[in-house]
Each structure stands twice: as C-alpha cells, then as structure tokens.
Amino acid sequence: MSSPPNDINGNILLPSRIKYNILIKIMITNNEKIEKKEPNISQCILDYLFNLGVKKIFTVPGAHIDFFLVQAINDGRFEIILASHEQGAGYMADGAARMSGSPSIVATINGPGASNLITSAVTARLGNSPVIFLTGDIPSHLYGYGGFQGSDPISSNTKEIFIAAITNSHTIFNYTDFIEITNLTNNLVSTFPRRPVHWNLPNDVAMTSVPKRIALPNNSYNDGNNTPLSPEWLPIIPSSSESKILLYVGNEIENPQEIKEIALFSKKYSIPIVVSFGAKNIQPFIDDNLFFGVFGYAGGPRAFKAMLDPTLETLLIFGVVLNERNTYAWSNEFYASNRKIIRFSNNNKSIRKSSIYIHEIKSNPIEAIKGIDIYWGKKESLISQDYNNRKKWIEELMLIPRIPPTVIKQNQSGKYGIYLGQAISFMNDHLKPDTPFFLDSGNHRIYGGAFWEVKTVNTFFSASQNAPMGWAIGAAIGASFVDKNKQIWVLTGDGCMQMHGMELAIAAKYHCKVIIVVSNNKSYGRVSARLKKIPLHVVNQLTSLPNISWVQFAESFGVPGKQVITIEELKSVIMEIQDFKGPYLIDLITDPEEPYPFSQAIFSSSTQITD
C-alpha cells in the first residue's frame, strides 16, 4: 500500500474528511476530560500564575483559548477582564504590571488575536513591563496544515513575530516544556530589568492530563545582576572635586533600590540629576534642589541649560538609551568634545552609535556607584571637600525654572478652548499628590511631560519608548484593578480616543475608578505641528478629525461626563468627582494654536520644530 502524500515540508497531507473526523474526536475526548476534571496543563499554568501574584486575566476570548479561560473561571482564584480589542487587553495588562510592580497576563487566540497584541508587546518590552502574552493555538498535531488561526509559518507565523517584537517566544508542547518555560519566565519577569514573555499554548496541550499537580514555589524577586566591578574602568572616572558633573538617569533604572542609591550618591557629592522623559517617575526620590527635571523630548529649561552647558566636564549616564529623543536629536551640544561621557547599563542592546566616543560600561548602577564611591574615598578626603565650585554652579542653575512658565490664556470666552498647559498645571495642583497619572501619546504628551510634577513614588506612567496612541486608556483601566479604591487619571487625546476609546465600555462594566481627560482639539495635533510650513488645505486633509462629542460617546456606555472649556469649569468638575466611584470622562476643549511650553524640547525623528 502506498504511503500518504506529503507537502513540501514533509507533512502528511490528509483529506478534509479525515481532518474533520480527527477534530470531532479531539472535541469528544476533551469534553470527557473536562467532565472528569483531570489535572491538566492549564491548571498547572494557573497555579504558576497565582504564585506569581497574578489575580486578573485580561482577555478577548476565542476558540483556541476558551478551554484555558473556562478552567480559570472554575478555578475561582482569578478574575476575567474582558476587553474590547486584543491591543486594549495588552495595554491593560501592561498598565496593571506597571502599577503593581508584579507580573500580569493577557490571553487571546492566535491569528488576528496574536497579531493585534504586537504593539502592546513591543510597548511592554520598551517599558520593561513583566507581561505574559499567552496565545491559544490549534491542536499541535495539525501544525503544518494551515489550521485556521494557527501559529505555524503557513498561518500566522506567531513565533517569529513575537521574537521580532520582544525577543522571545515559547510553545508549550508538554509538561516538561512547561517547567522549562516557567524557569525561563522567572528570569524574564522577576529580574531587573524585567521583560515580557510570549507563551503559545496549543489547545490540545492545554487539556493534556498530567500525572500530578506539582505545587510550584512562590517566585522571589531578584534586585539585579551583581556584576563584579572591573578595575579597568575606574581610572576614567574624574575627580569628585570637578566643578561641573551631571548625572543623567533613564528609564532602564526601574529597581527602587537602584534609584535610592543614585539619589544618595547625588546628595552625598552634591551632583545634580536630569532625567529622560521615561524616568520622570523617579522625581520623588531626588532632593528637590538637585532634581533639574527632564532633558530631551518634553524637557524643561533648567535641564537643558545644565546639559548643554559648554563647560560641563563630566556626564555620568545611568540607564539612558541614547536615542534621538534622549540626546536632543543627537545634538552636537550634547556630544560636546570637551566633556567626558560615561554610560553605565546592563542592557547591551541599548548601546547606540554616537558622533564621539562614549565610555560604555556594563554594570548595574549599584555596583557602579559603589565602585566610584570607594575610588573617590581612596583618592580624596571627603572631610575637606565642600564642592564650593559645584555648589555655585548649582545655585546659578536653580535660578532657571525647572518647569516652563505656564502660559495663561487671557481670553476665557471659550471660543477656542482652554490652554492645555494651564489645565495640566491646575490638575497637578488640585488632585491628591498620590493620584496615579497615565499620559497618552500625541501632542498632549508634550504638555503633560512639561507641566506634570511627580509628587509620589510610582504615580506617573507613560509609554515613552514606543508611544502607541491610546495606550494610556487601556493601561489605566488595567491599573485600576490593582487598587480598586484609588482614582486613576488619564490624559489622552481625541485621536487616541478614536483608536481605543471603546475600552470605556470595559471601565463601565467593571466600575473602574478611571477619570479620562480628553484633550479635544479636533486634530492630530502632533502631525499638524510637524506640517506647519505645508499649505493649510494639505494639512487639514492629513490632520482634521471629526467633531465628536466625547461626553455623548461616554454616556452611550453608561459613563457620565462633562465638557470643559474654562479653568473654572475644570475646577468645578474636579471638586464634583473627587470621590466618584466609577469611570468619568472630561471632554477638555483645547486650543490647537497653543504655543509650545519649551520649543527647544520639541522635535520629531527627522526635524526639530521651532515656533
């Protein structure tokens, strides 16, 4: 008897009737397993997640993930959060992970579900957010047949997509694979800098019985790799008595212990600190007279003056990715030839080419600071060192405002709307200091970055490295499940709302205490700003958005709201909703012609924009 025909990959080609019979048999067998309630790999995954501290599963259901989700519901330890879109579900998991500091999970089908997750996956990677992206897949023995919404190369090619997005992807084929993958996952989600991970789960494997439910140990967090100090780099460290030394701290520094060590180091030697936009959340750790604010995109006057001082002698960089947004678009002023630039990072992938030589040192900040401290202690007497020259420099810089002066709009008639910078400053002054603030991507992010002062640890969140529009909406909703008693505020835009505003339905369903503030200028403001010199009729075609009443949109989901045009109206709403128990939307009508808070810090990937 002749052998069955093979395809070009060597897979056996089965007639449609045989495939259908196989699927029917699988379904019957799986139903029997469910009824018998045999221990299975899905239950083992749930045990693992519970021990990680996961309590919420963000999801958009589908055939290939249904079994796992049913198991999770029957398990009783988890709450299932249904999102409107897979990308929104990914943002919610990302927000929950950032808010809690613990891993979170999003579960979807393969095919379009997996591909819709990619932007949130990339965003989680760039934000060092420990999210597990779980995709349900077709039965493993049907790989290679082009199964509907499958992960194999002739279908979605999910593995390669996630490897490209977050550098790792693991398919669970059996219990041994599961144990190995959880060990790998522990390192990714619990060791700083943390990383997201992708798990792919064929639905037949999800239902596979295991001999015994093994109790997995609780996961313990690791404060990072204690890289041994290399004496080779210590001689390049300058004297602590130099007049002008500056610390530049970036969003790779997320471990609280690392932040504290940097803060203590700054205070001990009177060295001022500037941060990248993504590291603004560390502000509460730093002495106010040594915190100079944000440098680069959405930065402020004092940080720019310090960083671009032509007489700056040494720049010590901790965890800053030297991309164009963090170096003032690769400005020659940043790379001044007369300064020494030393960069410490554990992340080899963040090394960037630059116009001059930068001393790149692979070391975590704690070890680097210990080494410098010991080195300076041996070479110099701290007792006699008062850093008078540096203190004089700091005093001069303190005369320059850290935050750009708030532009006050004189005309409050409401014809054009409120100035956004003024509204943000007002919210910052009148909301509780520990209010979590999620800032979305778009023109409004420039104003939020400039005017929002972080007063309490772990309260400022923005996807600074990837900047996907609408991220903050889903992320804040996800974060609201971490602490249901805390009111969370979001600043987003009308363009972002058109992308992911439908997640308001989820906020309404679960009574999330999320306040959505929509900067409504009826345009893609960032695009409009970049195209100032292009004829108006062309700009309008590329940037004009529909005139949508976001209050009516919110009310369609049962979410109350109010349109705001003046500061007095904003004040009234804040007072009214300060103890509001559910979601609320503020349609903030903003002026598209508002001047930028600090035009030197506004630029795109290809051009610097000036007013």
Side-chain angles (χ1 to χ4, degrees):
M1 185 173 64
S2 61
S3 301
N6 296 341
D7 64 11
I8 59 174
N9 296 317
N11 298 309
I12 298 174
L13 293 173
L14 299 177
S16 297
R17 177 180 54 79
I18 297 177
K19 290 183 184 178
Y20 177 79
N21 290 338
I22 289 175
L23 289 172
I24 292 297
K25 185 176 181 181
I26 291 170
M27 291 173 64
I28 294 172
T29 303
N30 290 339
N31 286 334
E32 290 174 351
K33 288 181 179 180
I34 293 173
E35 290 176 2
K36 291 179 181 179
K37 297 182 180 180
E38 295 178 358
N40 53 55
I41 286 180
S42 288
Q43 285 292 344
C44 294
I45 292 174
L46 293 170
D47 288 344
Y48 173 77
L49 294 174
F50 184 77
N51 287 328
L52 275 182
V54 173
K55 296 179 182 178
K56 307 286 190 298
I57 299 175
F58 301 93
T59 186
V60 175
H64 298 320
I65 199 67
D66 282 350
F67 179 83
F68 172 79
L69 294 175
V70 169
Q71 294 281 288
I73 292 170
N74 291 336
D75 182 281
R77 294 177 293 179
F78 301 89
E79 184 178 3
I80 306 299
I81 309 299
L82 299 182
S84 300
H85 188 283
E86 288 90 356
Q87 192 173 42
Y91 291 161
M92 291 177 193
D94 185 10
R98 297 188 195 215
M99 181 76 171
S100 67
S102 300
S104 66
I105 187 168
V106 54
T108 73
I109 61 170
N110 241 285
S115 58
N116 282 341
L117 284 174
I118 294 304
T119 302
S120 60
V122 173
T123 303
R125 172 175 62 82
L126 292 172
N128 296 336
S129 187
V131 179
I132 298 172
F133 292 87
L134 174 65
T135 53
D137 203 1
I138 59 173
S140 57
H141 57 271
L142 293 183
Y143 279 20
Y145 292 104
F148 178 63
Q149 296 179 337
S151 69
D152 51 9
I154 61 175
S155 297
S156 301
N157 202 24
T158 306
K159 184 180 181 69
E160 297 303 320
I161 292 173
F162 270 96
I163 286 175
I166 61 175
T167 73
N168 69 78
S169 175
H170 310 283
T171 296
I172 302 171
F173 287 111
N174 50 53
Y175 185 73
T176 301
D177 285 344
F178 164 70
I179 295 299
E180 292 177 356
I181 290 168
T182 54
N183 289 334
L184 291 170
T185 299
N186 285 342
N187 292 328
L188 289 168
V189 302
S190 65
T191 302
F192 291 97
R194 294 174 296 180
R195 294 288 186 271
V197 61
H198 172 237
W199 291 7
N200 190 50
L201 181 65
N203 58 28
D204 60 325
V205 177
M207 305 171 188
T208 300
S209 300
V210 294
K212 183 180 180 181
R213 291 271 295 280
I214 299 175
L216 298 173
N218 287 323
N219 190 46
S220 59
Y221 287 88
N222 189 332
D223 283 338
N225 300 317
N226 294 319
T227 307
L229 286 173
S230 168
E232 297 175 359
W233 60 262
L234 286 174
I236 70 172
I237 299 299
S239 167
S240 66
S241 61
E242 277 191 355
S243 299
K244 298 178 181 180
I245 304 177
L246 195 61
L247 301 182
Y248 188 23
V249 182
N251 66 303
E252 287 184 352
I253 306 302
E254 59 173 355
N255 182 348
Q257 188 56 43
E258 291 179 344
I259 298 170
K260 289 177 183 177
E261 289 293 336
I262 290 173
L264 290 171
F265 180 74
S266 165
K267 185 175 182 178
K268 180 176 182 179
Y269 292 101
S270 294
I271 303 176
I273 291 178
V274 298
V275 297
S276 67
F277 178 85
K280 189 169 183 173
N281 205 31
I282 75 172
Q283 179 178 355
F285 286 93
I286 314 301
D287 275 17
D288 194 61
N289 66 327
L290 291 171
F291 181 75
F292 280 10
V294 175
F295 174 79
Y297 185 80
R302 189 186 300 166
F304 266 72
K305 183 67 175 178
M307 184 70 81
L308 303 182
D309 185 339
T311 63
L312 179 66
E313 296 163 288
T314 299
L315 181 63
L316 299 177
I317 300 176
F318 292 99
V320 180
V321 178
L322 296 182
N323 58 28
E324 40 111 18
R325 289 198 166 198
N326 290 335
T327 59
Y328 187 38
W330 293 298
S331 167
N332 288 332
E333 296 171 274
F334 180 88
Y335 295 111
S337 59
N338 61 324
R339 69 178 52 168
K340 180 177 286 187
I341 302 178
I342 305 170
R343 178 177 178 272
F344 300 94
S345 176
N346 258 342
N347 185 3
N348 288 333
K349 294 181 180 179
S350 70
I351 295 175
R352 294 289 188 273
K353 293 181 180 179
S354 62
S355 56
I356 65 168
Y357 180 75
I358 295 177
H359 299 280
E360 293 275 2
I361 299 172
K362 187 178 187 301
S363 174
N364 69 38
I366 294 177
E367 295 301 316
I369 285 170
K370 284 180 181 177
I372 297 171
D373 195 19
I374 293 170
Y375 186 67
W376 280 350
K378 288 180 179 178
K379 292 192 67 176
E380 301 157 18
S381 171
L382 294 180
I383 297 174
S384 63
Q385 188 62 257
D386 60 5
Y387 314 115
N388 283 332
N389 291 334
R390 184 148 69 243
K391 287 181 178 178
K392 182 179 178 181
W393 180 57
I394 292 172
E395 288 171 0
E396 291 173 354
L397 289 168
M398 289 291 287
L399 298 176
I400 300 168
R402 182 172 66 207
I403 307 168
T406 306
V407 178
I408 304 296
K409 187 172 184 178
Q410 300 300 321
N411 177 12
Q412 290 293 318
S413 66
K415 181 179 179 182
Y416 299 107
I418 197 171
Y419 271 4
L420 183 55
Q422 185 183 1
I424 294 169
S425 291
F426 187 86
M427 289 190 293
N428 195 223
D429 290 339
H430 290 82
L431 295 179
K432 296 176 182 178
D434 62 347
T435 298
F437 182 70
F438 281 74
L439 182 59
D440 223 324
S441 301
N443 211 42
H444 54 277
R445 194 158 73 116
I446 295 166
Y447 298 90
F451 293 115
W452 189 268
E453 286 277 84
V454 185
K455 302 171 184 175
T456 306
V457 174
N458 200 38
T459 58
F460 179 81
F461 306 92
S462 187
S464 60
Q465 292 292 91
N466 200 37
M469 291 177 64
W471 169 87
I473 301 168
I477 292 170
S480 72
F481 290 99
V482 175
D483 185 350
K484 291 189 176 183
N485 294 317
K486 188 174 287 292
Q487 196 175 73
I488 296 176
W489 282 62
V490 176
L491 177 61
T492 188
D494 46 348
C496 296
M497 283 294 290
Q498 287 192 184
M499 288 192 178
H500 290 287
M502 70 276 195
E503 300 300 350
L504 269 178
I506 308 308
K509 177 179 178 180
Y510 295 99
H511 306 289
C512 300
K513 295 178 68 172
V514 176
I515 311 300
I516 308 288
V517 181
V518 183
S519 172
N520 187 357
N521 59 11
K522 304 174 184 61
S523 76
Y524 286 126
R526 191 83 283 274
V527 181
S528 180
R530 287 198 297 269
L531 303 180
K532 277 186 176 180
K533 297 180 180 179
I534 294 176
L536 184 60
H537 73 280
V538 177
V539 175
N540 286 340
Q541 290 184 61
L542 293 175
T543 63
S544 294
L545 295 177
N547 184 10
I548 298 173
S549 170
W550 293 111
V551 172
Q552 291 181 334
F553 175 83
E555 288 174 345
S556 72
F557 298 118
V559 176
K562 188 171 184 178
Q563 188 179 90
V564 167
I565 301 177
T566 68
I567 284 292
E568 286 304 314
E569 291 177 348
L570 179 59
K571 179 179 180 180
S572 175
V573 172
I574 290 175
M575 294 296 292
E576 179 185 335
I577 65 173
Q578 58 183 337
D579 296 316
F580 198 74
K581 302 302 182 185
Y584 193 93
L585 182 137
I586 300 174
D587 190 1
L588 192 70
I589 306 301
T590 50
D591 190 339
E593 298 301 321
E594 178 177 357
Y596 285 120
F598 187 61
S599 59
Q600 193 174 3
I602 310 303
F603 49 86
S604 67
S605 297
S606 57
T607 58
Q608 291 190 32
I609 296 172
T610 57
D611 292 332

